[in-house]
Amino acid sequence: AQSVTQLDSHVSVSEGTPVLLRCNYSSSYSPSLFWYVQHPNKGLQLLLKYTSAATLVKGINGFEAEFKKSETSFHLTKPSAHMSDAAEYFCVVSRNSGNTPLVFGKGTRLSVIA
Amino acid sequence: SAVISQKPSRDICQRGTSLTIQCQVDSQVTMMFWYRQQPGQSLTLIATANQGSEATYESGFVIDKFPISRPNLTFSTLTVSNMSPEDSSIYLCSARQDSLRNEKLFFGSGTQLSVL
């Protein structure tokens, strides 16, 4: 069965410093992997997705993630955190060989300190 | 891209009652899903809403408790039946839209349900 493990429930960074949110996956297929962001009282927004093309995926708002098959990881990074990045981030894997339905990780809450 | 309208956005309900949540997409989609997000938790898939037939439920979710309808390609409802405080959660509708080159997923803004 497909699953994702987000290694940190809470990450706190200073504004302007790099962001690293860690995710490991388990999949019997060649997986489709996603990162979603959820701001308080707002809907889910897709940051980026990997679907077996380039292993380094660039998303919105300066985020990117690298698919590493040997490490079964799909960590999310950003070179410089902004206050507006404070939110809940979900690493997600598709359950089937297609892109749906989705299996969500438990989430990582990112805090950005001024 | 598709826009999902979900209503109500929030409700407070009494124990033992039922609430129906509606999900309307502004264009045809191939698949629709219902998720639950309990307080402080991640999203859990409840079921896949199938057009014109019974929904496909995930382990731990049953039709009697969460009846789902999808009468056409753009609309679905989820009913939370005989509610208890444990059903207090955010319920999210999701839709998949396929095109020749791409497949996109969209989420509604959610229904925040509180059961007293």
Side-chain angles (χ1 to χ4, degrees):
Chain A
Q2 278 60 249
S3 66
V4 289
T5 302
Q6 292 184 245
L7 300 171
D8 307 291
S9 60
H10 183 210
V11 170
S12 183
V13 301
S14 297
E15 190 175 21
T17 64
V19 176
L20 170 64
L21 305 183
R22 299 182 295 166
C23 173
N24 287 115
Y25 70 90
S26 172
S27 176
S28 54
Y29 298 93
S30 179
S32 293
L33 291 158
F34 311 77
W35 277 97
Y36 279 85
V37 61
Q38 186 178 41
H39 287 92
N41 300 316
K42 293 192 176 180
L44 284 163
Q45 182 181 22
L46 178 66
L47 278 178
L48 51 82
K49 71 175 182 179
Y50 165 78
T51 54
S52 75
T55 56
L56 182 62
V57 183
K58 294 187 182 299
I60 61 172
N61 301 335
F63 285 94
E64 62 182 37
E66 186 171 7
F67 174 74
K68 292 187 176 180
K69 186 175 181 178
S70 60
E71 300 176 8
T72 61
S73 69
F74 189 60
H75 301 334
L76 182 70
T77 60
K78 182 174 181 177
S80 176
H82 295 166
M83 296 298 290
S84 60
D85 294 328
E88 190 84 17
Y89 291 80
F90 294 99
C91 182
V92 183
V93 64
S94 62
R95 195 174 71 178
N96 299 324
S97 54
N99 285 341
T100 52
L102 302 178
V103 177
F104 282 74
K106 293 187 181 298
T108 299
R109 183 164 60 91
L110 175 65
S111 299
V112 182
I113 304 166
Chain B
S1 62
V3 175
I4 298 180
S5 300
Q6 191 175 332
K7 61 181 181 180
S9 58
R10 59 179 62 232
D11 207 342
I12 300 173
C13 301
Q14 296 296 321
R15 181 195 299 261
T17 63
S18 298
L19 175 72
T20 295
I21 303 168
Q22 297 182 358
C23 178
Q24 177 73 56
V25 191
D26 68 349
S27 56
Q28 289 187 357
V29 292
T30 49
M31 300 181 77
M32 296 182 74
F33 308 92
W34 287 97
Y35 287 86
R36 180 174 73 181
Q37 187 177 21
Q38 293 180 301
Q41 303 293 319
S42 185
L43 280 76
T44 302
L45 180 65
I46 297 172
T48 301
N50 299 310
Q51 193 261 324
S53 64
E54 190 172 293
T56 304
Y57 288 85
E58 298 300 304
S59 176
F61 297 96
V62 295
I63 188 171
D64 290 345
K65 176 66 175 176
F66 297 102
I68 288 171
S69 78
R70 190 181 172 197
N72 56 51
L73 292 175
T74 64
F75 184 77
S76 178
T77 66
L78 167 74
T79 299
V80 186
S81 303
N82 188 25
M83 287 184 284
S84 67
E86 291 71 34
D87 295 320
S88 298
S89 186
I90 297 174
Y91 293 85
L92 288 132
C93 171
S94 174
R96 167 179 150 180
Q97 188 174 58
D98 295 331
S99 61
L100 281 176
R101 288 190 172 186
N102 205 359
E103 173 191 308
K104 293 185 177 180
L105 300 172
F106 304 92
F107 284 86
S109 55
T111 296
Q112 185 162 354
L113 171 62
S114 298
V115 183
L116 305 179

